[in-house]
Amino acid sequence: MSGSGFSKGAPVHLSYPLTGRLLVRNSPADRVPSHGTDLAATSHSIDLVPVDEQGRSSRYTAASFLRPEPPQLFIGFGRPVLAPITGRVRIVHDGEIDHPAYRGLPSVGYALAQPRRVRRGWAHVAGNHVVIQADPTSGTDGRDDVFVALCHLQHASTTVRVDQQITAGEMIGRCGNTGNSTEPHLHLQAMTAPDATRAEPLPITFADGLPRGGQIIQVRE
């Protein structure tokens, strides 16, 4: 369900877009900008990584440290992604192919290629993504300039269309490994316009507050 009581300067209240056991990374509860940059309205964004009972996104092997791995080996790959707020779909981008996951030594090379992805534009950083314009009656205190982006979705997995009205908790796609992503996870951010390159960031929170990086949370279905 969506939150309430939003006002200028206050955080946007969201529900979690994934269920199950989630590892929190790059949380604005720890630092702002959470991802080390103010570009593309990401300064208050958060990453959620599905993990197992041991807190692992995938089982480690010797190969994990030496070469890229298929995203299908990761717990989060294909996990349903849910709308975190009620509103109207404004952007659906679904044409990026899921790439291998990078841990250990391969992650170094992937990180070095990040500037090239940034130069290619927002879609190559966000990968497949959906942007929802929050309903002014859904916890935004009447504001109509609250947009929520959900990024790195699985190729061809989106289940919504542009201009579709959706309710918080409704499935919009599946967790993937597209864009600037080293392993299957979901990137979530709120902003003042549908185009992240022209938007200002907005702070976010959840019903139980904003979790810190490294924290593992359990979200019920």
Side-chain angles (χ1 to χ4, degrees), residues 40-63:
T42 60
S43 63
H44 293 270
S45 57
I46 193 169
D47 292 330
L48 301 171
V49 186
V51 294
D52 63 15
E53 292 79 4
Q54 287 75 45
R56 304 173 303 182
S57 57
S58 179
R59 186 173 65 89
Y60 274 96
T61 67

Side-chain angles (χ1 to χ4, degrees), residues 11-12 14-18 21-32 34-35 44-49 186 188 204-219:
V12 178
L14 302 174
S15 56
Y16 283 105
L18 293 167
R21 187 176 283 102
L22 308 173
L23 171 64
V24 178
R25 288 183 176 163
N26 299 317
S27 172
D30 299 317
R31 66 170 184 173
V32 175
S34 59
H35 284 60
H44 293 270
S45 57
I46 193 169
D47 292 330
L48 301 171
V49 186
L186 186 75
L188 177 68
I204 62 173
T205 193
F206 303 96
D208 54 354
L210 193 60
R212 292 189 174 276
Q215 183 177 346
I216 294 179
I217 58 176
Q218 181 73 44
V219 180

Side-chain angles (χ1 to χ4, degrees), residues 1-22:
M1 64 180 179
S2 60
S4 61
F6 180 79
S7 60
K8 185 176 178 64
V12 178
H13 287 252
L14 302 174
S15 56
Y16 283 105
L18 293 167
T19 59
R21 187 176 283 102
L22 308 173

Side-chain angles (χ1 to χ4, degrees), residues 59-141:
R59 186 173 65 89
Y60 274 96
T61 67
S64 302
F65 298 94
L66 299 174
R67 59 174 179 263
E69 302 169 278
Q72 293 84 356
L73 295 180
F74 289 74
I75 293 169
F77 190 74
R79 181 77 59 89
V81 175
L82 313 176
I85 199 165
T86 295
R88 190 172 295 277
V89 177
R90 293 305 185 194
I91 294 176
V92 176
H93 181 81
D94 199 17
E96 307 295 323
I97 302 298
D98 293 279
H99 56 68
Y102 299 91
R103 297 189 289 182
L105 292 176
S107 67
V108 177
Y110 188 80
L112 292 175
Q114 181 171 343
R116 183 174 68 248
R117 291 189 293 275
V118 172
R119 287 194 297 270
R120 293 176 65 191
W122 164 248
H124 294 281
V125 175
N128 297 323
H129 61 281
V130 169
V131 177
I132 302 168
Q133 183 176 13
D135 191 317
T137 65
S138 181
T140 63
D141 197 28

